Amino acid sequence: MPSREQLSTLLAPDGTVLLTVECQQGVVGPDSALPELAKEARSSGALANIARLVAGAHRGGVQVIHAIAERRPDGRGANHNARLFRAAERLPVQQLSGTTAVRVAPPIEVAEEDFVVRRLHGLSPLAGTDVDALLRNLGCRTLVVTGVSANVAVPNTVFDAVNRGYNAVVPADAIAGVPSDYTPALIRNTLALVATITATDDVLACFEGPRR
């Protein structure tokens, strides 16, 4: 874990963006297409911590981007080149554009100044979307990655951020995956090698600290 001073420098508000990954009704909501993942996101406290981080970012003047995964009703443009995509096509709840499933899930609140970026393909919100261009235009140096899942989208996001030259910060208690013991293993053995691992309270202390 970094020191408070190190983390505070890394999370300077004018160079930091908070990203929520797939925190949408159809993924982490009560009618999720992936009920096991939704249950883990809620029971672990990850979803509540993400909501706290978003609220803290709003208060502290830190930009927030919500990354949403969706698909057209006709499926055009969606990937079909992996088992994960083919399985998603058969789920009873579809992440269809314009439906409740692709709205940001409570208790996370979307502010007027937030960006909501939607993608129709792939595994990462940084690949082939507006996110990277937005980050550069915003002067982002550090990307705080939160959301689901620790199995696929979160590590993809962290790797893509690092490959594009951003500092990646991951609050370990603000991501979730299945089974429950997979997330700490991923953090310890993979994400800790490329990202700064911290906790929600420590990030909030930087967002809302005395320097403001």
Side-chain angles (χ1 to χ4, degrees), residues 42-86:
R42 292 177 178 275
S43 65
S44 68
L47 190 61
N49 284 331
I50 295 165
R52 292 173 59 214
L53 286 165
V54 169
H58 291 158
R59 290 190 296 270
V62 174
Q63 181 66 56
V64 179
I65 298 178
H66 305 279
I68 301 295
E70 58 182 48
R71 58 184 287 122
R72 288 167 45 122
D74 61 11
R76 290 174 66 85
N79 287 67
H80 306 282
N81 58 334
R83 188 175 70 176
L84 174 66
F85 301 122
R86 295 190 291 272

Side-chain angles (χ1 to χ4, degrees), residues 17-186:
V17 172
L18 174 67
L19 181 71
T20 74
V21 178
E22 296 183 24
C23 294
Q24 57 203 73
Q25 296 267 36
V27 176
V28 296
D31 298 318
S32 170
L34 303 164
E36 186 180 359
L37 177 59
K39 180 180 178 182
E40 178 62 24
R42 292 177 178 275
S43 65
S44 68
L47 190 61
N49 284 331
I50 295 165
R52 292 173 59 214
L53 286 165
V54 169
H58 291 158
R59 290 190 296 270
V62 174
Q63 181 66 56
V64 179
I65 298 178
H66 305 279
I68 301 295
E70 58 182 48
R71 58 184 287 122
R72 288 167 45 122
D74 61 11
R76 290 174 66 85
N79 287 67
H80 306 282
N81 58 334
R83 188 175 70 176
L84 174 66
F85 301 122
R86 295 190 291 272
E89 293 171 3
R90 299 191 296 270
L91 292 172
V93 177
Q94 294 289 308
Q95 314 299 317
L96 299 181
S97 302
T99 66
T100 301
V102 295
R103 294 178 185 169
V104 176
I108 299 168
E109 295 188 0
V110 180
E112 185 176 354
E113 63 269 22
D114 294 0
F115 291 101
V116 179
V117 178
R118 303 177 183 278
R119 77 176 196 274
L120 293 170
H121 58 82
L123 299 171
S124 166
L126 267 72
T129 71
D130 291 337
V131 171
D132 186 37
L134 289 172
L135 294 176
R136 296 192 186 281
N137 289 344
L138 291 163
C140 177
R141 296 182 298 276
T142 298
L143 187 64
V144 182
V145 179
T146 68
V148 296
S149 72
N151 303 78
V152 178
V154 168
N156 263 264
T157 304
V158 172
F159 295 150
D160 283 351
V162 173
N163 285 333
R164 285 164 171 78
Y166 300 106
N167 298 306
V169 172
V170 179
D173 53 355
I175 65 171
V178 289
S180 59
D181 58 357
Y182 179 77
T183 301
L186 169 80

Side-chain angles (χ1 to χ4, degrees), residues 192-209:
L193 302 177
V194 295
T196 297
I197 307 302
T198 185
T200 293
D201 286 345
D202 295 327
V203 174
L204 286 173
C206 294
F207 283 178
E208 304 173 329

Side-chain angles (χ1 to χ4, degrees), residues 6-13 16 142 144 169 203 206-207 211-212:
Q6 291 171 325
L7 192 61
S8 183
T9 300
L10 195 59
L11 295 176
T16 298
T142 298
V144 182
V169 172
V203 174
C206 294
F207 283 178
R211 62 181 183 181
R212 301 188 186 287

